[in-house]
Amino acid sequence: MIDPEFITDDQQRRDEKIKLGIMGAGSYYLENVLDPDNAIYKKFKENNPNGEYVAGPRLTQEGYTPAGGRGLPMRGWMKTGILAGSKNIDAALRVLDLICSDEYTMIYNYGIEGKHYVKNPDGTVRVIAKPEEMEAFGINLTHIPVVRTTLALSANENLRNAMLNLSKSSVINMTDKYLVPELEYTRELDDYTREQFSKMIIGNVPIDGGFENYIEELNKRGYKELYEALNKAHKEMQQR
């Protein structure tokens, strides 16, 4: 077995395992294991000159249909908004418009064309700047934080194919497109869910019986109210 741990729940430890080449499998951050311009990938190749990570297919099981990659949701742990009483609403909107533009995405992720990167004849991107030059410009070399689909521009064929395949298989959770009032216990529900799932995975809570207890406690903490809010938003959208 390559990876002696069933779960890696610490980002720093995960990155170290990738660098050492002992990460058995992962479900995200493709650039860390496939992008030759990525700092973590470069360290992995230093430690394992002949090693290579590969992008595998979605795992399947009889009677179970995996959701695949998640599309970008409107709801989530990060939200961007402008205060109604702001004196600079127009300026804030222009900033958001800039951040969402293709030009800004390329600058933020790759730097300045001709100085930090060049485009190949096929339109893919090849980084030419040294890591210290990229970092001095403000580019995070461990992962691309804005518009991850720009990874599809990578000159690395393995990474490009993996990203294109992910974009084709992505699905959006039906509830993600509905904006509902932020309920005071939403974050608590998320934290509780992650905590209980982790305990079930490592065996601290039995799945048989433990899952039923988890659902009962979830409802006590307000899940039914959240469900009703999402269901109400869904019905209202259908009537438009």
Side-chain angles (χ1 to χ4, degrees):
M1 180 179 292
I2 297 176
D3 189 347
E5 296 179 333
F6 182 67
I7 296 177
T8 303
D9 58 358
D10 179 83
Q11 179 175 333
Q12 183 176 359
R13 174 145 177 75
R14 178 205 66 202
D15 292 345
E16 287 303 315
K17 290 169 72 172
I18 292 175
K19 293 175 185 177
L20 293 173
I22 61 173
M23 173 65 80
S27 60
Y28 55 94
Y29 288 115
L30 288 173
E31 65 273 23
N32 286 356
V33 295
L34 293 176
D35 185 1
D37 294 317
N38 183 275
I40 294 178
Y41 178 87
K42 287 183 176 180
K43 184 60 66 172
F44 160 71
K45 292 300 288 185
E46 287 180 14
N47 295 323
N48 306 271
N50 298 320
E52 202 66 73
Y53 284 105
V54 296
R58 287 185 293 169
L59 300 179
T60 59
Q61 180 178 329
E62 185 177 355
Y64 172 72
T65 302
R70 287 288 294 276
L72 183 65
M74 294 172 64
R75 297 177 62 249
W77 67 276
M78 290 185 65
K79 298 178 177 66
T80 301
I82 302 173
L83 294 177
S86 173
K87 298 179 181 179
N88 304 293
I89 292 179
D90 185 65
L93 287 172
R94 290 201 301 271
V95 170
L96 291 177
D97 185 59
L98 171 64
I99 292 175
C100 293
S101 68
D102 292 338
E103 179 184 9
Y104 178 84
T105 296
M106 292 301 296
I107 292 176
Y108 192 87
N109 289 321
Y110 293 108
I112 300 174
E113 185 174 2
K115 180 178 180 180
H116 298 102
Y117 74 93
V118 294
K119 284 189 176 180
N120 297 317
D122 61 357
T124 58
V125 171
R126 179 168 59 87
V127 175
I128 58 175
K130 296 179 180 179
E132 53 267 27
E133 294 174 333
M134 301 285 280
E135 291 179 347
F137 188 72
I139 298 174
N140 188 325
L141 294 177
T142 58
H143 71 281
I144 293 180
V146 174
V147 191
R148 300 172 70 85
T149 50
T150 55
L151 287 170
L153 297 175
S154 171
N156 181 268
E157 186 175 2
N158 288 335
L159 175 60
R160 193 166 65 250
N161 290 339
M163 290 301 300
L164 291 175
N165 179 64
L166 180 62
S167 65
K168 293 177 181 178
S169 63
S170 293
V171 297
I172 297 179
N173 187 316
M174 284 299 294
T175 62
D176 279 342
K177 61 184 178 182
Y178 305 129
L179 295 175
V180 299
E182 185 70 23
L183 304 176
E184 61 181 13
Y185 45 76
T186 301
R187 180 177 294 276
E188 181 185 341
L189 286 176
D190 290 341
D191 291 341
Y192 175 70
T193 296
R194 282 192 288 268
E195 176 189 352
Q196 293 303 307
F197 274 29
S198 296
K199 288 182 177 180
M200 291 181 202
I201 290 173
I202 63 178
N204 286 352
V205 172
I207 295 179
D208 293 335
F211 184 78
E212 287 75 12
N213 293 336
Y214 154 72
I215 293 297
E216 182 179 352
E217 179 63 24
L218 199 66
N219 288 329
K220 289 180 180 179
R221 297 187 180 210
Y223 175 75
K224 284 187 176 180
E225 293 180 47
L226 178 61
Y227 170 82
E228 290 172 359
L230 290 169
N231 194 42
K232 180 175 180 290
H234 172 66
K235 290 180 179 179
E236 290 176 350
M237 180 170 287
Q238 285 184 319
Q239 294 172 357
R240 292 177 184 175

